[in-house]
Amino acid sequence: MNHLVDLANDHILTLVTFLPGLGAVLLLFFPRRDRDIRWFALLISLLTFIASLHLPWHFDYSKGGFQYELNVPWITTPNIHYHLGADGISIWLVVLTTFLVPLSVLISWTSIKERVKEFFILMLILETAMLGVFVSLDLFQFYFFWEATLIPMALLIGIYGHERRIYAAVKFFMYTMVASVFMLAAMLWLYSKTGSFDFVEIQQAIQLGNVSGFSHAQQWLFLGFFIAFAVKVPLFPFHTWLPDAHVEAPTAGSVLLAGVLLKMGTYGLLRFNLGLFPEAARRNAPWIIALAIIGIIYGALVALVQPNMKKLVAYSSVSHLGFCVLGIFSFTAMGVSGSVYQMLNHGVSTGGLFMLLGMIYERRHTYEIKQYGGLATPMPVFATFFLVITLASAGLPLLNGFVGEFLVLSGAFQAKMIYGILAASGVIWGAWYLLWLYQKTFYGDVTVEANNNLSDLNARERLSLWPIAVMSLVMGVVPMIFLRQINPAVQAALSGVNGGVQAAVPTAHHFLQVVAQVIGR
């Protein structure tokens, strides 16, 4: 039995990463029977999700560090390895990805009517690329998967999106690709000095002072990685591609864009900018925190005046992801743990909101808020799911958004009180625009005749929303299921940046014990 577990541990990351890609290849040979294609895509994505549960189930959080490692030579010249591994941060991002993809397949069941095979092939390829980003411990391999996400997502937007889809797809592609060039240049500099693309080897070489010229180059290397990740987050003022991409993307594209692709940026900041350049991270933290706080407030205020539902949720992502960046650069245990938790929260809640918007769009073919009102009467089940996920996104206690925002704000207050005060205003604005959207859409009388006869959610749509609602509640009530793996990885990430502060502050676990006492859990 132990032998089987060891065997599974050695190859589980390869299986989880490439199973969707294998499914995409098999789909190439499928006959063009749309029903069979949809069922096969759903089967593959569900198998991937089930396989990914092995990661948190068998993860030894008492040890921390990278686990499930597989490191074999890939290309001799240059020295590139096939190196996979996952720590307490990346395992949950992997599970978030595999959790959202089958839901995205379900919500695309009837909305995608043309080129169905190509759509699901692109989605499965995208899943493999996203998973590869979170488990790669070789910089070349990481860059390969990073860039590999661009093509399927750009095609999903450009082929299956709305009226201005080509413009949005090109803008998304160009912003991300150009920014990535700076990261590639920084990677090549590190390789020229260390002879390796291996993240662990490079990190050790830097810590031991074995990289010549590093002290002078560190700032530029930090900025090279930072620009690539800041555009992907997107951090203010690099966010302008996001609203266009979200509004024009098909529903599944918006779910995966908000739920997973944006997290690649915050994950990169945490893994590489803090992991490889701790001194530069500390030196640059004040202006990065300033941008994060501007993004929190700016995103919320712009969301507040949007006439378009999808654009409102898109700008809310700018605000929510600002919390993630603020938590990372607060350099406190609670702030960084909260940032990771907020990444997961945002994937669940905002992914759920985009799913709901896709369902109403399928019925009325418009995202304009003024076209709705009083929807709770013809669509009570839809209104109930919308309310639960809206409250989760707004950070209501006992739902997932509360824990992440509270930890980030606590970390921000510990770093500097003014950071916490300014960021806390974003929570107020966030609740305002979300509840305003709900009030305008669901309360009162039905004012548009076309909405009187709207059908409520069918069984498939309810099936795709139940996991989101349940996960919002589980993450809000028992956050330690996730934090016990996240905390050791956060401590490791902070060890190179700021040993003194992390030792002086309570851990997220201690903080949550206090919260649990307060709410009587």
Side-chain angles (χ1 to χ4, degrees):
M1 186 64 183
N2 289 336
H3 175 70
L4 289 176
V5 172
D6 291 341
L7 185 65
N9 286 345
D10 289 342
H11 299 284
I12 186 65
L13 290 180
T14 298
L15 174 67
V16 170
T17 302
F18 290 101
L19 183 57
L22 176 62
V25 173
L26 294 176
L27 267 182
L28 285 172
F29 302 99
F30 256 61
R32 288 190 174 276
R33 289 197 293 268
D34 294 348
R35 186 171 178 275
D36 295 345
I37 291 168
R38 292 186 182 103
W39 276 108
F40 183 76
L42 181 62
L43 174 66
I44 290 293
S45 60
L46 282 174
L47 289 175
T48 307
F49 172 63
I50 293 168
S52 72
L53 295 180
H54 177 95
L55 299 174
W57 189 264
H58 291 278
F59 190 85
D60 187 349
Y61 56 87
S62 64
K63 290 197 306 188
F66 292 111
Q67 299 180 27
Y68 311 112
E69 277 195 79
L70 180 61
N71 189 359
V72 295
W74 178 16
I75 301 172
T76 308
T77 307
N79 181 21
I80 298 171
H81 281 222
Y82 177 72
H83 191 180
L84 303 181
D87 64 358
I89 297 169
S90 42
I91 60 166
W92 287 118
L93 291 169
V94 167
V95 173
L96 173 68
T97 305
T98 61
F99 172 75
L100 289 176
V101 172
L103 301 181
S104 300
V105 172
L106 275 177
I107 59 172
S108 306
W109 207 262
T110 55
S111 61
I112 302 299
K113 297 181 174 63
E114 296 180 356
R115 298 182 180 178
V116 174
K117 179 192 278 192
E118 290 83 352
F119 179 84
F120 289 109
I121 287 174
L122 289 171
M123 189 180 290
L124 292 175
I125 292 174
L126 177 63
E127 183 176 14
T128 282
M130 293 187 297
L131 292 169
V133 166
F134 294 131
V135 300
S136 292
L137 293 180
D138 181 281
L139 296 189
F140 177 88
Q141 188 182 314
F142 173 85
Y143 187 79
F144 171 81
F145 283 118
W146 178 275
E147 293 293 88
T149 62
L150 290 184
I151 298 171
M153 179 52 78
L155 290 176
L156 284 173
I157 298 172
I159 297 174
Y160 301 93
H162 304 302
E163 289 78 10
R164 297 173 67 244
R165 57 186 180 275
I166 300 299
Y167 168 76
V170 171
K171 191 173 182 180
F172 160 75
F173 190 89
M174 292 304 296
Y175 263 65
T176 310
M177 193 185 72
V178 170
S180 302
V181 171
F182 295 97
M183 176 170 65
L184 178 62
M187 287 178 175
L188 292 175
W189 189 94
L190 288 170
Y191 178 77
S192 72
K193 297 295 182 180
T194 63
S196 174
F197 282 110
D198 189 278
F199 171 77
V200 178
E201 287 184 22
I202 293 173
Q203 188 180 42
Q204 289 174 348
I206 291 173
Q207 290 171 349
L208 295 173
N210 294 335
V211 181
S212 62
F214 180 76
S215 58
H216 298 294
Q218 183 176 190
Q219 175 67 12
W220 295 107
L221 297 171
F222 175 89
L223 291 176
F225 279 88
F226 175 80
I227 291 171
F229 299 142
V231 169
K232 185 72 90 179
V233 171
L235 181 67
F236 177 89
F238 305 104
H239 65 284
T240 57
W241 63 270
L242 183 71
D244 292 316
H246 267 316
V247 171
E248 301 303 326
T251 300
S254 293
V255 171
L256 295 179
L257 183 62
V260 183
L261 259 75
L262 305 188
K263 312 307 177 304
M264 288 164 45
T266 46
Y267 170 77
L269 289 173
L270 184 53
R271 175 73 71 224
F272 296 100
N273 283 93
L274 262 64
L276 296 179
F277 319 109
E279 290 180 23
R282 175 155 292 284
R283 203 161 46 238
N284 289 278
W287 65 265
I288 294 174
I289 287 176
L291 292 181
I293 292 173
I294 292 172
I296 291 170
I297 298 172
Y298 167 83
L301 292 177
V302 176
L304 192 58
V305 297
Q306 291 303 313
N308 182 297
M309 290 178 170
K310 215 174 182 189
K311 203 168 254 189
L312 183 152
V313 179
Y315 275 105
S316 79
S317 291
V318 176
S319 184
H320 284 140
L321 270 296
F323 278 102
C324 295
V325 177
L326 172 63
I328 291 171
F329 285 90
S330 71
F331 302 134
T332 63
M334 281 199 286
V336 181
S337 291
S339 172
V340 177
Y341 211 79
Q342 188 70 356
M343 294 181 208
L344 305 177
N345 291 334
H346 183 262
V348 172
S349 302
T350 306
L353 285 174
F354 278 121
M355 288 166 62
L356 288 160
L357 297 186
M359 290 169 189
I360 194 66
Y361 183 85
E362 212 172 327
R363 288 164 170 77
R364 290 280 283 107
H365 302 288
T366 178
Y367 291 118
E368 294 300 312
I369 297 172
K370 65 182 180 184
Q371 291 296 321
Y372 299 100
L375 285 188
T377 301
M379 305 179 70
V381 178
F382 178 73
T384 304
F385 275 112
F386 208 110
L387 179 63
V388 171
I389 297 173
T390 295
L391 293 177
S393 187
L396 188 77
L398 296 183
L399 292 173
N400 56 340
F402 171 76
V403 180
E405 286 185 353
F406 223 90
L407 288 172
V408 168
L409 288 175
S410 299
F413 270 105
Q414 287 176 348
K416 195 170 281 189
M417 183 172 288
I418 189 64
Y419 296 160
I421 292 172
L422 292 172
S425 68
V427 177
I428 300 169
W429 294 116
W432 189 342
Y433 64 70
L434 285 168
L435 295 177
W436 174 80
L437 172 64
Y438 192 83
Q439 182 260 326
K440 297 291 286 185
T441 308
F442 293 96
Y443 286 172
D445 298 326
V446 178
T447 53
V448 178
E449 181 64 26
N451 295 331
N452 272 319
N453 299 318
L454 288 179
S455 59
D456 208 344
L457 300 184
N458 58 38
R460 174 183 54 79
E461 291 168 327
R462 296 182 193 194
L463 182 63
S464 63
L465 288 171
W466 267 113
I468 296 287
V470 171
M471 191 53 65
S472 297
L473 185 63
V474 169
M475 292 181 71
V477 175
V478 281
M480 288 314 300
I481 292 176
F482 307 88
L483 287 172
R484 67 184 178 184
Q485 281 109 356
I486 292 172
N487 286 340
V490 167
Q491 296 288 342
L494 283 173
S495 61
V497 182
N498 186 6
V501 170
Q502 64 164 327
V505 300
T507 64
H509 173 71
H510 296 145
F511 174 77
L512 285 171
Q513 285 179 327
V514 175
V515 173
Q517 290 171 358
V518 171
I519 63 179
R521 180 166 62 81

